[in-house]
Amino acid sequence: MSVAELPPYRALLVVDTKGFGSNPDATQAMLSAAIPDVLSQAFTRAGLREVWETALFPHGTGDGYGLGFDPRFLPAVVTRFFDELQAVLAERDARLRSVARSVRLRMRASLNVGPILEPAPGTTSAAAIGSAVITTHRLLDAAPVRAVLERSDPDETFLAVALSQRVFEDVLASGYAELPESKVVPADVRIKEYGGTVYLYIPNPSGDLLRHGAGGAYEKELAVAKAKIEPPGPGSTTNTISGTVSGTAIQVGQVHGNLSQS
């Protein structure tokens, strides 16, 4: 029986634009052209120009953009790229005000990692396939992710980031990167066939996010996730019993005084 090979693990970043379809055609064309430009600037400012220039299966979606990259860059992307993207979007907003105040470029971003089937060389399709790809797009549409931009000041918060459970565990809980706890919020999501936990990162919280708080649960989630990964500390005792046993089995870490069995 033949066994299929597991596709290579890739990091996947997808962004889309809030309220894109409500703009007239000419404005949509302007915003669509601006999306890869702001992404390019953000990668450059974050010291990650290599990620942009060597992007795997980059593709525009009209109101957004998607690309894959080597997972080794994930810690740097998590800690540096999104803050820079918030800053670039804020600067671009100042320029868009000269066109009309109704024109805005506010983004949702989703970051995931997993096995991805990449397009074959020479094919016309630029989109990769696989459950990791589907999940990345699903997270963008999740209600908690959309709520970040709905509940924040449109002149201050330009970016809402959805980090997948896998990114959280592999990058943050494993200690390869750190983010301010007050800006990361775990949320349960269920959309279409996907259900799970998303970790919202908000580079610049504002509006209701500040009035009602955007943190609190992250520290507990981080501790739980780390406890699953870190080995038992000094003094931990693990006993394994096999075969037929009669009587009482006692597991002891440290004993002070006498121990007796009766």
Side-chain angles (χ1 to χ4, degrees):
M1 181 180 67
S2 61
V3 179
E5 293 184 353
L6 186 68
Y9 273 65
R10 303 296 188 197
L12 183 65
L13 172 69
V14 179
V15 304
D16 69 0
T17 304
K18 182 182 185 303
F20 183 86
S22 63
N23 292 289
D25 291 353
T27 303
Q28 288 184 18
M30 176 184 65
L31 293 175
S32 184
I35 292 170
D37 183 46
V38 298
L39 293 176
S40 174
Q41 288 188 44
F43 274 115
T44 299
R45 293 188 187 185
L48 293 166
R49 186 68 188 175
E50 181 181 354
V51 174
W52 180 254
E53 292 181 343
T54 62
L56 306 170
F57 45 88
H59 56 285
T61 60
D63 65 342
Y65 199 86
L67 59 90
F69 58 91
D70 192 315
R72 66 190 174 92
F73 291 110
L74 273 172
V77 169
V78 168
T79 55
R80 301 204 302 261
F81 170 73
F82 294 116
D83 287 347
E84 293 296 342
L85 182 56
Q86 159 71 27
V88 171
L89 288 170
E91 294 171 7
R92 184 59 58 98
D93 183 71
R95 291 164 54 182
L96 291 174
R97 292 181 189 183
S98 63
V99 178
R101 180 57 290 183
S102 61
V103 180
R104 297 184 184 275
L105 185 58
R106 303 175 75 207
M107 289 184 171
R108 292 180 294 267
S110 177
L111 185 65
N112 195 16
V113 63
I116 296 177
L117 290 168
E118 301 179 24
T123 58
T124 56
S125 174
I129 59 175
S131 60
V133 178
I134 295 173
T135 296
T136 310
H137 286 273
R138 291 285 186 263
L139 294 181
L140 284 181
D141 292 328
V145 184
R146 291 181 172 275
V148 170
L149 296 185
E150 295 291 343
R151 296 176 53 229
S152 56
D153 186 340
D155 294 329
E156 297 293 334
T157 301
F158 297 97
L159 180 64
V161 182
L163 304 176
S164 73
Q165 179 81 41
R166 185 63 183 272
V167 168
F168 175 80
E169 292 177 352
D170 290 357
V171 179
L172 291 171
S174 297
Y176 290 101
E178 293 184 358
L179 289 174
E181 295 176 0
S182 62
K183 296 182 180 181
V184 180
V185 182
D188 292 330
V189 299
R190 183 165 296 279
I191 179 168
K192 295 185 178 180
E193 75 286 351
Y194 176 79
T197 301
V198 63
Y199 292 81
L200 304 174
Y201 176 53
I202 311 162
N204 188 40
S206 64
D208 285 346
L209 302 179
L210 291 180
R211 284 189 288 271
H212 301 293
Y218 171 64
E219 184 175 4
K220 179 180 178 181
E221 292 281 338
L222 185 62
V224 171
K226 282 185 174 181
K228 294 179 180 178
I229 296 172
E230 294 175 351
S236 298
T237 301
T238 301
N239 293 335
T240 302
I241 302 175
S242 60
T244 302
V245 179
S246 62
T248 303
I250 302 175
Q251 177 175 304
V252 179
Q254 291 182 334
V255 178
H256 301 280
N258 298 321
L259 174 66
S260 64
Q261 178 184 353
S262 58

